[in-house]
């Protein structure tokens, strides 16, 4: 049975493809008809930046605010010390408090691009209530509400045990702590909704049950689908690694280029999820074929980059792409490898340059790229893996290419 939402937020979630599951859509819809509701998504601080895989959740929080409500971005200063085992094959490496704080500082920079914290939104850290818990009191007051039998039945845990992979007691406590987060956010800030990817469904349901049992609170859960590209790849990864959101870990040009390289079949879907273009425009662009679909990809890249890095950075990235692909130039914002004069004094091999610039992961991979005709230097095909580049050649930046879509500059400075 298809439910037609009345609230603006649920209408956006359903029409743009964000909605996977909801615990009670009718009741949540009724509640969201009243403006000023609070919802949260938690982000553990396992790295100094989030990557594209988290962008769907960030967009959900953005839409929540734009439809008249108050999003909460919850930093996992406490839960990162435990590590979420959901659908992981092994235990996360444990981080100390200093590393976690450093990661949180890096992650916070992204959210201000999407969410207005001067207009009802909040950024909180669950270390505020988790760090001071008394273990015995917590077991007595909170632990008694959890059934081990039920926790073992959740797919995120069951899949790990079915593969006979170890699940530590520390990790097993993660879902209890996440449930406690929801209860505390409802008690302290009136939060009525937890959102997340569909892999968080079991953790979200636990939080709803705990909140109802302990403080008789009426709260809800909503999940988004776990996205893969049409060719089955996980969102957030590219050929060269994670697609980070912080500009000091991935340049705006590289970010723009990631979206420009979207496969034809994903363009319409990604426009709905990652931009704010009207739905009919998303459908029109997604239906383009032949060479015209490239215009839609460039539009997708520019819209997504504008949201994160600003219109000026998006325009510069688009111009760089035109310089590289249309004019054969080098542009101003390509990934750049800077070598010292000593590094090139005796010459340097083309294989080393390709590896150091990030266009290949190893010498073997670089040699295969050359053998297959995919390597170019200054737009001329490289045919000999033994080619040495003399110091004189670096009087100007050297443009390296791997295939038609990946480029880098090498300079001496």
């Amino acid at each position: 049975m298809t439910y037609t939402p009345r609230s603006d937020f649920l209408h956006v979630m359903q029409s743009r493809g964000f909605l996977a599951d909801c615990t009670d859509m009718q009741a949540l819809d009724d509640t969201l008809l009243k403006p000023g509701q609070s919802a949260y998504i938690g982000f553990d601080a396992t790295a100094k930046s989030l990557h594209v895989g988290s962008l769907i959740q960030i967009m959900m929080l953005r839409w929540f605010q734009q439809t008249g409500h108050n999003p909460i971005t919850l930093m996992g200063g406490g839960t990162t010390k435990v590590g979420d085992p959901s659908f992981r094959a092994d235990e996360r490496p444990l981080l100390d408090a200093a590393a976690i704080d450093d990661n949180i500082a890096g992650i916070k920079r992204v959210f201000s691009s999407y969410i207005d914290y001067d207009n009802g939104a909040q950024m909180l850290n669950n270390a505020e209530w988790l760090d001071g818990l008394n273990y015995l009191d917590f077991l007595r007051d909170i632990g008694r509400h959890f059934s081990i039998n039920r926790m073992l039945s959740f797919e995120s845990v069951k899949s790990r045990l079915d593969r006979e992979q170890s699940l530590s007691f520390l990790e097993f406590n993660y879902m209890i702590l996440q449930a406690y987060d929801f209860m505390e956010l409802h008690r302290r800030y009136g939060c009525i909704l937890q959102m997340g990817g569909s892999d968080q469904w079991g953790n979200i349901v636990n939080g709803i049950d705990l909140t109802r049992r302990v403080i008789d609170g009426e709260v809800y859960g909503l999940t988004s689908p776990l996205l893969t590209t049409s060719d089955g790849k996980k969102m957030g990864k590219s050929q060269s690694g994670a697609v980070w959101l912080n500009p000091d870990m991935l340049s705006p040009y590289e970010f723009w280029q990631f979206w420009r390289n979207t496969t034809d079949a994903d363009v319409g879907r990604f426009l709905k999820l990652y931009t704010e273009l009207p739905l009919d425009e998303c459908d029109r662009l997604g239906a383009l074929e032949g060479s015209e679909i490239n215009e839609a990809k460039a539009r997708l890249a520019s819209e997504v980059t504008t949201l994160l890095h600003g219109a000026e950075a998006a325009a510069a990235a688009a111009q760089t792409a035109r310089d590289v692909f249309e004019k054969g130039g080098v542009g101003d914002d390509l990934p750049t490898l800077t070598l010292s004069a000593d590094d090139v004094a005796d010459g340097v091999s083309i294989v080393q340059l390709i590896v150091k610039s990030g266009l290949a992961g190893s010498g073997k991979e670089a040699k295969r790229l050359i053998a297959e005709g995919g390597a170019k230097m200054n737009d001329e095909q490289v045919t000999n893996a033994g080619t040495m580049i003399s110091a004189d050649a670096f009087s100007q930046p050297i443009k390296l290419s791997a295939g038609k879509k990946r480029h880098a500059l090498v300079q001496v400075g």
Side-chain angles (χ1 to χ4, degrees), residues 72-76 122-126 128-129 185 189:
I72 296 171
T73 48
L74 182 65
M75 298 290 97
Q122 297 182 83
M123 181 174 289
L124 304 172
N125 187 332
N126 61 15
E128 177 185 338
W129 51 83
L185 287 170
Y189 303 99

Side-chain angles (χ1 to χ4, degrees), residues 43-45 74-83 95 100-101 104 124-132 170 174 177 181:
F43 299 87
D44 278 345
L74 182 65
M75 298 290 97
T79 44
T80 303
K81 296 171 184 175
V82 175
L95 303 177
I100 291 171
D101 289 344
I104 288 175
L124 304 172
N125 187 332
N126 61 15
E128 177 185 338
W129 51 83
L130 294 182
D131 280 2
L170 180 68
Y174 185 93
L177 295 177
D181 281 347

Side-chain angles (χ1 to χ4, degrees), residues 343-353 377 382 384-394 398:
D343 291 332
V344 302
D346 297 324
V348 59
S349 75
I350 187 65
V351 169
Q352 284 180 297
L353 286 186
M377 186 175 79
V382 177
N384 182 3
T387 300
M388 294 293 293
I389 314 301
S390 69
D392 293 342
F394 291 95
I398 292 175

Side-chain angles (χ1 to χ4, degrees), residues 11 15-16 272 277-284:
H11 173 72
S15 62
R16 300 186 78 96
K272 292 177 182 178
L277 292 177
L279 288 172
D280 56 354
E281 179 68 356
C282 295
D283 289 333
R284 183 190 73 81

Side-chain angles (χ1 to χ4, degrees), residues 148-165:
I148 293 293
N149 305 65
R150 186 162 184 254
M151 293 165 74
L152 289 172
S153 71
F154 286 126
E155 188 59 34
S156 58
V157 173
K158 189 172 180 291
S159 62
R160 180 119 154 227
L161 297 179
D162 285 347
R163 294 193 299 269
E164 297 183 356
Q165 291 164 330

Side-chain angles (χ1 to χ4, degrees), residues 73-385:
T73 48
L74 182 65
M75 298 290 97
T79 44
T80 303
K81 296 171 184 175
V82 175
D84 184 1
S86 299
F87 294 98
R88 285 185 58 86
D90 51 16
E91 187 172 357
R92 291 186 186 275
L94 295 181
L95 303 177
D96 61 26
I100 291 171
D101 289 344
D102 192 33
N103 288 348
I104 288 175
I107 290 171
K108 283 181 176 180
R109 295 165 51 191
V110 168
F111 288 105
S112 59
S113 298
Y114 295 90
I115 296 169
D116 182 3
Y117 289 99
D118 294 324
N119 187 28
Q122 297 182 83
M123 181 174 289
L124 304 172
N125 187 332
N126 61 15
E128 177 185 338
W129 51 83
L130 294 182
D131 280 2
L133 286 176
N134 179 290
Y135 184 63
L136 293 179
D137 289 344
F138 183 75
L139 285 180
R140 181 193 62 202
D141 297 337
I142 304 301
R144 65 190 179 90
H145 294 289
F146 289 83
S147 163
I148 293 293
N149 305 65
R150 186 162 184 254
M151 293 165 74
L152 289 172
S153 71
F154 286 126
E155 188 59 34
S156 58
V157 173
K158 189 172 180 291
S159 62
R160 180 119 154 227
L161 297 179
D162 285 347
R163 294 193 299 269
E164 297 183 356
Q165 291 164 330
S166 175
L167 179 69
S168 73
F169 181 70
L170 180 68
E171 293 176 288
F172 196 61
N173 276 271
Y174 185 93
M175 64 179 70
I176 301 178
L177 295 177
Q178 185 171 328
Y180 188 76
D181 281 347
F182 199 0
M183 186 183 74
E184 281 298 305
L185 287 170
H186 181 69
R187 177 156 46 196
R188 296 176 183 223
Y189 303 99
C191 180
I192 56 100
L193 173 64
Q194 180 182 176
M195 301 185 290
S198 58
D199 61 332
Q200 294 297 313
W201 180 253
N203 292 340
I204 292 173
V205 169
N206 269 335
I208 293 170
D209 289 345
L210 181 66
T211 304
R212 289 174 178 170
R213 287 171 181 264
V214 177
I215 59 176
D216 196 28
E218 191 64 28
V219 291
Y220 308 95
L222 183 151
T223 61
S224 62
L226 290 181
L227 284 187
T228 58
T229 59
S230 59
D231 53 3
K233 295 178 181 176
K234 187 176 180 180
M235 279 298 291
K237 299 289 185 180
S238 70
Q239 287 182 329
S240 56
V243 182
W244 300 109
L245 302 183
N246 284 26
D248 56 346
M249 295 179 69
L250 188 81
S251 73
Y253 172 78
E254 291 174 286
F255 184 78
W256 189 96
Q257 196 62 46
F258 169 79
W259 295 100
R260 171 60 181 80
N261 291 337
T262 296
T263 57
D264 295 1
D266 289 325
V267 173
R269 182 169 60 128
F270 286 1
L271 282 164
K272 292 177 182 178
L273 290 170
Y274 298 111
T275 81
E276 295 175 336
L277 292 177
L279 288 172
D280 56 354
E281 179 68 356
C282 295
D283 289 333
R284 183 190 73 81
L285 290 169
L288 295 176
E289 297 178 349
S291 61
E292 289 184 327
I293 194 66
N294 291 326
E295 299 174 21
K297 292 178 182 181
R299 182 75 180 279
L300 168 67
S302 291
E303 292 287 337
V304 180
T305 304
T306 296
L307 283 175
L308 177 59
H309 296 300
E312 186 175 336
Q319 183 59 52
T320 299
R322 284 191 290 272
D323 289 343
V324 171
F325 299 112
E326 296 175 12
K327 302 176 183 178
V330 296
D332 297 320
D333 195 26
L334 283 172
T336 301
L337 168 67
T338 301
L339 301 174
S340 70
D342 289 343
D343 291 332
V344 302
D346 297 324
V348 59
S349 75
I350 187 65
V351 169
Q352 284 180 297
L353 286 186
I354 291 173
V355 173
K356 287 182 177 181
S357 66
L359 295 179
S362 65
K364 183 178 180 180
E365 185 180 329
K367 290 175 181 177
R368 182 168 63 249
L369 180 69
I370 293 169
E372 293 173 352
K376 290 184 178 182
M377 186 175 79
N378 293 332
D379 297 318
E380 296 291 331
Q381 186 173 348
V382 177
T383 58
N384 182 3

